[in-house]
Amino acid sequence: MIETIVLDVGETITRDDRYWHSWADWLGIPRHTLSALVGAVVALGRDNADAVRLARPGIDLAAEYHAREAAGRGEFLDETDLYEDVRPALSGLRKLGIRVIVAGNQTSRAGELLRGLDLPVDLVVTSGDWGVAKPHAEFFERVLEVAQAAPRETVYVGDHPANDVFPAKAAGLRTAHIRRGPWGHLWANDLELEAATDWRIDSLTQLTTIVAT
């Protein structure tokens, strides 16, 4: 019995296009260049933020983030950033009586923007809100607190093996890996990932079938 579905944010419910394009524009480099660097760090299993560090060696990401905000070029999300299957899938899960939570590695500002989209979910929370980020075990302890369900009755859905699937599995949750975004596509057939994944999906709408069976 599945009681709660918890979803990652970037490349699970939202596209990261705007995020990376805005960084490329801020750094004054071609968008394709930064996208290629993102692909390179993904292939190496490194943190996405390393793409920005490669583009601008020695950059202070926190200071640069605040500079962008002060210049009015900070984080932004709207309906066009959502994947097309998000609202149908979330609405379908809610109709089945499933508790639906969005919890990912985002800033508090991103959490505010997501809550402003009025998604059909019970809760939107970010690592910035909690002060702890994936893949830290405490993040998934917090997930289970808000899930209000036992670990085996809770499914964490995400695209990133090291940040989503492996730590969620280690915390006792069930896992669904979505083949979406650079991480989701590149690592989809990794044998270790396959072993840690309860379900492999290409669309969030498949979650309603999983819950109903």
Side-chain angles (χ1 to χ4, degrees), residues 18-20 22-24 26-27 49 52-53 56 58-77 105-115 126-129:
R18 187 197 301 272
Y19 178 83
W20 292 114
S22 66
W23 266 111
W26 177 257
L27 296 172
V52 178
R53 297 185 181 101
R56 180 75 61 80
I59 191 172
D60 183 332
L61 285 173
E64 210 70 21
Y65 174 87
H66 291 302
R68 288 183 55 188
E69 291 288 337
R73 296 174 61 183
E75 288 187 90
F76 183 78
L77 284 171
N105 272 0
Q106 270 71 34
T107 63
S108 294
R109 173 58 179 158
E112 292 173 4
L113 293 167
L114 285 166
R115 287 186 283 272
T126 68
S127 58
D129 297 329

Side-chain angles (χ1 to χ4, degrees), residues 95-147:
K95 288 178 181 177
L96 291 171
I98 300 298
R99 180 169 172 78
V100 181
I101 296 169
V102 172
N105 272 0
Q106 270 71 34
T107 63
S108 294
R109 173 58 179 158
E112 292 173 4
L113 293 167
L114 285 166
R115 287 186 283 272
L117 296 180
D118 194 26
L119 296 169
V121 299
D122 295 281
L123 178 69
V124 173
V125 67
T126 68
S127 58
D129 297 329
W130 279 342
V132 62
K134 298 180 292 184
H136 200 286
E138 185 182 344
F139 182 94
F140 291 93
E141 291 172 8
R142 296 288 189 92
V143 164
L144 286 171
E145 288 174 5
V146 297

Side-chain angles (χ1 to χ4, degrees), residues 21 45-46 73 81 91-92 131 184 203 211:
H21 289 171
R46 291 167 56 176
R73 296 174 61 183
D81 294 297
S91 296
S203 169
V211 167

